[in-house]
């Protein structure tokens, strides 16, 4: 029998994008609470690394999940009829314009697989969601990273990149952007779309739209057939553990995506939970108000500690650990926080080694963060 090594050696070169995939660094998630407890023996942990909703989810969601527990042996509705109906009403679109996904990452992957190949290019911004260049590599496509403007998307430069590369098939834009929290105004994006060829798909990743409703670009769907809006229930709705997202697009694009997606890519529990979450607008409003209040409080604390930050329109804030601070780096601060039970997100993988991304928590968690940070900075 041949060894597993010889089997791998003979099969892996057959992968179309083999060389590109070998260049990939596996996606680094925020450290799980359980992992921190195992490593450091810390039982009282505050996780501010993955932009989850610290309030949890709506009580309506809990009830909806409970009602599904007796049906777990049954497959979910592969078409997601009731959730799609709710989303159509909520977004004022036709049901035929909706595609459901196992989180928004699933939809981004389906879009890349549908529209880009090894001969194509995918355009995205510097300091944008790290999954975009990963998708380009997986497809074997050329990834074109456009330098950021003040940590945000430079739409003029991105438009020029599309014009300079006639093989561009997809442009990814995160709005608000992760991890910087910057935001583009609807009029900026409309002007951008007016200069983009209709043959280029523009994907607006609106994972954090509930925290910045003024940046809602739903109206672009009525004017441009090459716009796709991708959203998720993982952030403000508090369903990160269930993995459910959706895309809004033209009927033609949605028809294509629905032919490609896995038939049961959203679970029965997730379908019920998302529909219940969507129906509780009061929960989202309270989440947004709490986030705004705590964001302003954190900004004041960072000012007092002499730490720079980027104004954010999401539920996280990017904080700079200034290089001139002797013996203090973002990596050392991150490690010290971990050892004291506070998890934040280092950004070296984004090309931002002097920055940390910190999720806005509830007041108690935020006070714990600031007290711990102050202690670390004072000790050093």
């Amino acid at each position: 029998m041949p060894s597993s090594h010889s089997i791998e050696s003979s099969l892996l070169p057959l992968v179309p994008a083999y060389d590109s995939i070998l260049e990939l660094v596996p996606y680094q998630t925020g450290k799980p609470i359980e992992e921190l407890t195992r490593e450091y023996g810390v039982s009282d942990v505050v996780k501010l690394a993955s932009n989850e909703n610290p309030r949890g989810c709506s009580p309506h969601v809990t009830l909806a999940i409970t009602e599904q527990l007796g049906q777990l042996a049954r497959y979910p509705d592969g078409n997601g009829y009731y959730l799609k109906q709710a989303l159509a009403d909520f977004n004022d679109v036709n049901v035929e314009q909706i595609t459901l996904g196992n989180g928004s990452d699933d939809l981004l992957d389906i879009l890349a697989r549908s529209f880009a190949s090894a001969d194509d290019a995918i355009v995205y911004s510097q300091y944008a969601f790290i999954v975009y260049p990963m998708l380009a590599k997986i497809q074997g496509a050329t990834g074109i990273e456009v330098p950021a403007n003040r940590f945000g998307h430079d739409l003029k430069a991105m438009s020029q990149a599309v014009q300079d590369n006639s093989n561009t098939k997809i442009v990814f834009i995160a709005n608000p952007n992760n991890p910087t929290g910057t935001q583009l105004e609807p009029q900026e994006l409309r002007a951008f779309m007016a200069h983009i060829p209709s043959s280029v798909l523009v994907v607006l990743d609106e994972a954090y739209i509930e925290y910045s409703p003024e940046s809602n670009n739903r109206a672009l769907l009525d004017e441009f057939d090459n716009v796709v809006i991708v959203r998720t229930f993982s952030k403000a709705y508090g369903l990160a553990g269930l993995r459910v997202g959706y895309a809004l697009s033209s009927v033609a694009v949605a028809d294509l995506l629905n032919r490609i997606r896995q038939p049961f890519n959203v679970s029965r529990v997730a379908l019920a939970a998302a529909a219940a979450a969507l129906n509780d607008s009061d929960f989202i409003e309270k989440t947004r108000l709490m986030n705004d209040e705590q964001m302003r409080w954190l900004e004041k604390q960072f000012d007092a500690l002499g730490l720079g930050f980027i104004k954010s329109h999401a539920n996280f804030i990017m904080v700079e650990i200034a290089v001139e601070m002797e013996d203090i780096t973002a990596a050392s601060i991150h490690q010290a926080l971990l050892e004291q039970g506070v998890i934040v997100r280092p950004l070296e993988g984004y090309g931002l080694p002097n920055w940390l991304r910190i999720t806005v928590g509830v007041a108690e968690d935020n006070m714990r963060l600031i007290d711990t940070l102050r202690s670390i900075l004072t000790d050093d």
Side-chain angles (χ1 to χ4, degrees):
M1 176 180 290
S3 67
S4 60
H5 177 74
S6 64
I7 292 175
E8 291 177 355
S9 297
S10 63
L11 290 182
L12 292 184
L14 301 179
V15 177
Y18 178 65
D19 291 337
S20 295
I21 292 173
L22 282 185
E23 297 174 3
L24 285 174
V25 176
Y27 181 75
Q28 298 296 313
T29 63
K31 185 180 285 290
I33 292 174
E34 299 83 358
E35 183 178 326
L36 186 68
T37 299
R38 288 195 305 269
E39 289 183 359
Y40 299 102
V42 181
S43 57
D44 183 14
V45 177
V46 172
K47 185 182 179 186
L48 301 173
S50 300
N51 305 337
E52 298 144 331
N53 188 336
R55 300 182 66 230
C57 61
S58 162
H60 297 293
V61 168
T62 306
L63 178 61
I65 290 174
T66 302
E67 291 174 347
Q68 291 298 316
L69 296 182
Q71 300 296 320
L72 297 185
R74 304 293 183 187
Y75 283 104
D77 173 8
N79 292 318
Y81 177 84
Y82 291 108
L83 177 56
K84 281 187 175 180
Q85 290 288 339
L87 287 168
D89 293 340
F90 183 80
N91 293 287
D92 189 26
V93 297
N94 296 322
V95 171
E96 292 80 10
Q97 293 178 264
I98 299 171
T99 309
L100 300 180
N102 186 235
S104 57
D105 286 357
D106 181 35
L107 292 158
L108 296 174
D109 178 64
I110 294 171
L111 285 161
R113 287 192 287 117
S114 302
F115 287 89
S117 67
D119 296 325
D120 301 321
I122 295 177
V123 173
Y124 45 84
S125 176
Q126 180 187 27
Y127 310 141
F129 190 29
I130 205 166
V131 165
Y132 306 152
M134 290 178 65
L135 292 174
K137 287 185 180 295
I138 290 170
Q139 292 304 112
T142 300
I144 300 175
E145 181 181 278
V146 177
N149 179 16
R150 297 183 179 180
F151 295 95
H153 291 67
D154 186 337
L155 291 185
K156 289 184 178 179
M158 293 181 76
S159 177
Q160 187 62 51
V162 172
Q163 295 177 40
D164 291 343
N165 296 272
S166 59
N167 60 336
T168 300
K169 290 295 173 62
I170 302 176
V171 177
F172 283 119
I173 296 175
N175 193 49
N177 184 48
N178 174 24
T180 64
T182 53
Q183 175 179 280
L184 296 164
E185 299 302 323
Q187 60 269 25
E188 294 180 88
L189 280 165
R190 191 199 172 281
F192 172 78
M193 288 303 307
H195 288 89
I196 296 298
S198 60
S199 58
V200 176
L201 194 75
V202 177
V203 179
L204 302 181
D205 186 349
E206 295 186 344
Y208 300 93
I209 189 66
E210 291 79 18
Y211 293 103
S212 185
E214 66 273 13
S215 63
N216 188 332
N217 288 285
R218 153 66 187 85
L220 291 178
L221 290 172
D222 297 331
E223 193 170 354
F224 301 98
D225 287 341
N226 57 327
V227 169
V228 177
I229 296 174
V230 177
R231 295 177 179 168
T232 182
F233 284 89
S234 293
K235 307 304 180 184
Y237 288 103
L239 302 185
L242 287 181
R243 313 303 302 129
V244 54
Y246 65 96
L248 306 174
S249 66
S250 68
V251 173
V253 170
D255 178 67
L256 175 67
L257 301 181
N258 278 303
R259 292 172 186 271
I260 294 173
R261 70 175 179 84
Q262 293 294 315
F264 301 110
N265 63 338
V266 181
S267 73
R268 170 181 288 275
V269 173
L271 287 171
L278 194 68
N279 196 43
D280 193 349
S281 58
D282 184 59
F283 176 83
I284 292 298
E285 180 63 20
K286 289 179 179 177
T287 291
R288 182 165 51 246
L289 290 174
M290 183 219 75
N291 185 76
D292 289 347
E293 178 184 346
Q294 290 300 308
M295 179 75 80
R296 302 292 85 78
W297 184 82
L298 282 172
E299 289 176 346
K300 291 179 182 178
Q301 306 310 309
F302 293 137
D303 274 335
L305 291 171
L307 298 175
F309 58 86
I310 302 298
K311 180 175 176 57
S312 174
H313 297 270
N315 70 330
F316 55 83
I317 184 167
M318 202 170 80
V319 179
E320 184 179 24
I321 308 301
V323 293
E324 62 267 20
M325 297 173 71
E326 186 177 356
D327 298 326
I328 296 178
T329 64
S332 68
I333 294 291
H334 173 241
Q335 182 61 35
L337 286 170
L338 286 179
E339 292 172 1
Q340 297 189 50
V342 179
I343 308 174
V344 298
R345 187 67 177 271
L347 295 175
E348 186 172 0
Y350 281 89
L352 295 162
N354 301 320
W355 297 78
L356 298 173
R357 191 192 67 191
I358 300 174
T359 304
V360 177
V362 295
E364 181 181 0
D365 293 345
N366 294 332
M367 285 188 282
R368 167 91 174 271
L369 164 75
I370 295 300
D371 288 343
T372 307
L373 257 179
R374 185 181 297 112
S375 173
I376 294 169
L377 292 171
T378 301
D379 288 346
D380 287 347

